[in-house]
Amino acid sequence: GVHEQDLIEEIALLAMEKGVHVTFATASDYFIESFYSRVPVEYLRRTSKIGLRLMDILDNTIAIERPKDPGIMEKVNPKSIGAVVEGNKPISKKMDKRKVKWCYLGYPSKEMAEKLEVAYKLLEKFILDGILIDHKKLLDRAVFLKKNLSGAKYVHIIDEFGTNLTLVLSPARKIMIADGLIGDDDIAHGDIGLNLPDGEIFTAPVETKGSGTLVAPKQLDRYTSKPIENIKL
């Protein structure tokens, strides 16, 4: 986003000081909203030749959260979003095949805080302090959680909203640590991406087993940021 321009330029300069060739692009909320409203769906669905060609040479990508006001996405036609996702699939597949490393960086805005119904200073502290946390402290906590999860046969999840869910784990499933860095060990396991702030432990349950109820009292749609309340699965 153009509201992140100073940060983007500093990241680019730091990379260039290390001998990295850099290109970056920004967009305003006006451009993002107009992109979805003015470009015909059949054009949105086409795969970008520029995007495909870039994936032949890129080694790393950094995406910083946008738009400044997530509320603008509520006005976007879901068909337009679906068309863009479809058009980007060949680019994503090429990116995965070449193991292009990626980082998705959270960034606070007052509009985002209003959308999430939290104080801006709290959101800023949550995101920035989470990114700037001491790495050893983050890793120690992650290792502790992985150790306690390793060897578990199932996970039982309950909450005050009515969730009562049992998932089955398999000894063959990997338990991965996301510690804010992409190291050689991560790359060897095919884990080439990270989100900042970080600190999650992740694995996957057995798809064909498990039972119970999952309740999400309030959720934002991934693409439009529209609130969805009281989902019960």
Side-chain angles (χ1 to χ4, degrees), residues 58-70:
L58 283 181
D59 302 308
N60 309 273
T61 64
I62 299 174
I64 306 180
E65 193 159 20
R66 66 175 194 181
K68 184 181 182 184
D69 179 7

Side-chain angles (χ1 to χ4, degrees), residues 67 70-71 73-74 115 219-228:
M73 297 302 295
E74 290 189 23
K115 177 75 179 175
Q219 180 70 32
L220 294 182
D221 179 85
R222 178 180 177 185
Y223 296 111
T224 66
S225 291
K226 289 182 179 178
I228 309 171

Side-chain angles (χ1 to χ4, degrees), residues 23-190:
T23 183
F24 59 85
T26 59
S28 66
D29 284 18
Y30 166 77
F31 178 85
I32 294 169
E33 192 173 0
S34 301
F35 169 76
Y36 285 107
S37 64
R38 290 172 50 178
V39 180
V41 171
E42 61 265 32
Y43 297 156
L44 293 175
R45 190 174 287 113
R46 294 193 306 191
T47 300
S48 166
K49 294 179 181 179
I50 297 173
L52 276 175
R53 183 62 60 88
L54 271 176
M55 285 308 136
D56 289 331
I57 57 174
L58 283 181
D59 302 308
N60 309 273
T61 64
I62 299 174
I64 306 180
E65 193 159 20
R66 66 175 194 181
K68 184 181 182 184
D69 179 7
I72 67 170
M73 297 302 295
E74 290 189 23
K75 307 169 189 174
V76 175
N77 187 332
K79 289 184 179 180
S80 296
I81 296 174
V84 172
V85 171
E86 186 178 335
N88 284 338
K89 279 182 180 178
I91 297 173
S92 298
K93 286 182 178 180
K94 199 170 189 180
M95 186 174 175
D96 290 341
K97 186 176 181 181
R98 289 197 59 245
K99 291 184 167 52
V100 178
K101 294 187 289 294
W102 60 266
C103 170
Y104 190 86
L105 179 67
Y107 194 88
S109 70
K110 291 180 180 178
E111 292 84 354
M112 183 193 297
E114 186 176 332
K115 177 75 179 175
L116 297 174
E117 299 178 356
V118 298
Y120 172 70
K121 285 295 182 184
L122 179 62
L123 179 65
E124 185 181 58
K125 179 178 175 61
F126 176 77
I127 293 177
L128 299 185
D129 286 7
I131 292 172
L132 298 173
I133 189 173
D134 177 76
H135 182 258
K136 185 179 185 305
K137 185 185 291 185
L138 182 74
L139 187 59
D140 287 347
R141 290 177 182 176
V143 170
F144 172 80
L145 290 170
K146 179 178 178 178
K147 183 179 179 182
N148 280 271
L149 193 58
S150 298
K153 295 181 180 178
Y154 68 91
V155 175
H156 185 203
I157 305 166
I158 58 173
D159 68 18
E160 68 271 30
F161 303 108
T163 295
N164 191 339
L165 181 65
T166 300
L167 300 174
V168 179
L169 300 182
S170 167
R173 295 293 165 96
K174 299 172 185 173
I175 300 174
M176 307 291 288
I177 290 178
D179 60 350
L181 298 173
I182 302 177
D184 293 338
D185 187 54
D186 296 315
I187 295 172
H189 285 96

